[in-house]
Amino acid sequence: SQKLYGPNDKDGTLLLKSGQNSFTVLGESYLTARLTQQTMLRLYRQDLNLPYVNRQDNRMVPNTFEAYLLYDLDDTRLNYVGGHLRQMKRRNETRFISMSEAAGANDVDRGVSTLGARYNFTDKINIGAINYHGWDVMNLFYTEGNMAWPLGEDLALRLSAQYTDQRGVGDERIGDFETSAIGGKFALSYRNAILSLAFSSIDNDSGIRSPWGGYPGYLSLIHKDFDRAGEDAWLVGVSYDFSRLGLPGLSTFANYASGDTPDSGSKATPDQQEFDLTVDYRFSDALEGLWIRARTAHVDQDGSTGEDSQDYRLIVNYSVPLK
């Protein structure tokens, strides 16, 4: 990630290292071995796309991990992954640190053991679960289920539900805590439009922690995750692909979410709302491979201690064919 523009008084975008410095890093270097027709073994530095442990790929360089995993992600019925994660490299860093240090335990060097699976009953119904045991740090369990039904030639319904449990384990190097989150999502699609409704509720004991990647909650938006202690939140979203109107390549989606938290006590935080808008345009013909994305997010936090913010992002991607 090489700096084109980055004044020192505007640090913190995570596009560059701290201090607005350019950086170069080898984030992936791994060996893959096929043990059976579908069972794979992958060793050393690699990217992952799992709940809570993932690329979090919304900056120039993604998270990557030093991991030793056995997996099968290609079977039509049962997919699984298991193994041990030793270190991670954050999005705007050049060095790998232990998984425990990434979680906030700076005085120990501990990894994370994981085991997860997803079962596809049909191509429209599935359920999955994964557990991460961060030794002497925390245990994180996540499960979700999805169901979809066609309601007509152009109409379809999708229902999803998710649950997270987190708690300190072993020496509890990041504290003695226990918390959970539940969420649900309803999506109705008609031709090129999708209407989404979602909710989430966080336990009062503690907020949800996601130190190893993006939070998989249905209300994880551009700026906020709505995962604070005691936060109850809801979302409404709409997306549309303009190809039916004679504008192929143009699409947009918008989300509005609102979260309520306790008004008093040690977990009291300002209620907040966020509105996001994203517009995508993918070129064709001579400029095929060029994709422009414009995004904005507005956050409004209530009360004297709340902080409002406005976020603007412009992303240009170009895939260059090599043959």
Side-chain angles (χ1 to χ4, degrees):
S1 183
Q2 306 304 310
K3 181 168 68 174
L4 297 177
Y5 173 78
N8 291 333
D9 62 345
K10 295 183 179 180
D11 198 2
T13 65
L14 303 182
L15 295 176
L16 300 168
K17 288 191 70 173
S18 298
Q20 298 287 56
N21 295 311
S22 301
F23 68 95
T24 301
V25 58
L26 181 63
E28 293 184 74
S29 177
Y30 57 84
L31 173 69
T32 299
R34 184 181 296 276
L35 304 184
T36 67
Q37 183 65 26
Q38 293 179 253
T39 303
M40 307 292 289
L41 179 68
R42 179 171 288 183
L43 310 175
Y44 206 47
R45 295 178 174 176
Q46 54 192 282
D47 74 334
L48 297 173
N49 187 29
L50 301 170
Y52 288 101
V53 177
N54 48 63
R55 295 166 57 89
Q56 204 170 1
D57 195 9
N58 54 7
R59 295 298 189 270
M60 293 302 297
V61 177
N63 295 330
T64 53
F65 302 85
E66 181 187 329
Y68 305 86
L69 300 174
L70 189 70
Y71 65 93
D72 174 6
L73 302 180
D74 297 325
D75 189 88
T76 57
R77 285 290 184 183
L78 179 65
N79 310 130
Y80 62 83
V81 61
H84 188 73
L85 294 78
R86 183 172 173 268
Q87 294 184 318
M88 76 170 290
K89 184 202 70 62
R90 292 185 173 124
R91 292 170 292 175
N92 68 326
E93 297 292 340
T94 56
R95 71 184 186 97
F96 282 75
I97 60 175
S98 70
M99 299 295 287
S100 55
E101 181 179 347
N106 298 321
D107 55 343
V108 293
D109 183 358
R110 300 286 191 272
V112 173
S113 299
T114 185
L115 180 64
R118 179 179 62 197
Y119 187 77
N120 303 298
F121 296 92
T122 69
D123 60 346
K124 296 181 176 60
I125 303 175
N126 63 69
I127 187 171
I130 192 165
N131 192 80
Y132 306 98
H133 188 84
W135 297 91
D136 291 327
V137 177
M138 71 172 176
N139 192 84
L140 193 166
F141 173 78
Y142 174 79
T143 183
E144 70 172 31
N146 302 279
M147 303 179 68
W149 298 272
L151 302 178
E153 183 177 352
D154 298 318
L155 190 66
L157 173 66
R158 182 180 179 89
L159 298 178
S160 302
Q162 60 184 188
Y163 172 76
T164 293
D165 179 272
Q166 296 181 340
R167 61 190 66 203
V169 294
D171 292 340
E172 297 179 331
R173 297 288 184 158
I174 61 172
D176 178 10
F177 70 97
E178 181 177 343
T179 190
S180 62
I182 60 171
K185 186 175 182 180
F186 163 97
L188 183 67
S189 63
Y190 177 71
R191 295 186 176 178
N192 290 37
I194 301 175
L195 172 67
S196 300
L197 303 173
F199 78 91
S200 66
S201 181
I202 312 300
D203 188 88
N204 292 325
D205 180 72
S206 176
I208 294 297
R209 308 182 188 207
S210 50
W212 305 314
Y215 171 53
Y218 301 137
L219 276 79
S220 179
L221 300 187
I222 292 177
H223 207 280
K224 298 296 183 180
D225 286 332
F226 295 87
D227 60 352
R228 299 171 297 170
E231 186 162 23
D232 296 320
W234 58 268
L235 171 145
V236 58
V238 62
S239 66
Y240 191 76
D241 184 331
F242 290 86
S243 59
R244 293 181 69 95
L245 300 181
L247 296 171
L250 178 64
S251 62
T252 185
F253 63 91
N255 291 307
Y256 176 82
S258 178
D260 296 325
T261 52
D263 295 328
S264 60
S266 61
K267 307 301 182 182
T269 49
D271 295 341
Q272 62 184 4
Q273 300 82 40
E274 179 173 344
F275 173 74
D276 296 347
L277 177 65
T278 299
V279 179
D280 291 322
Y281 188 76
R282 297 176 183 266
F283 290 79
S284 58
D285 300 328
L287 294 177
E288 186 174 2
L290 178 61
W291 167 28
I292 297 178
R293 164 169 283 191
R295 314 193 79 183
T296 183
H298 175 75
V299 176
D300 180 17
Q301 291 193 330
D302 301 338
S304 59
T305 60
E307 295 184 1
D308 298 345
S309 64
Q310 189 77 36
D311 190 310
Y312 300 97
R313 304 182 187 184
L314 179 65
I315 303 113
V316 180
N317 297 285
Y318 184 51
S319 299
V320 181
L322 298 179
K323 62 177 180 179

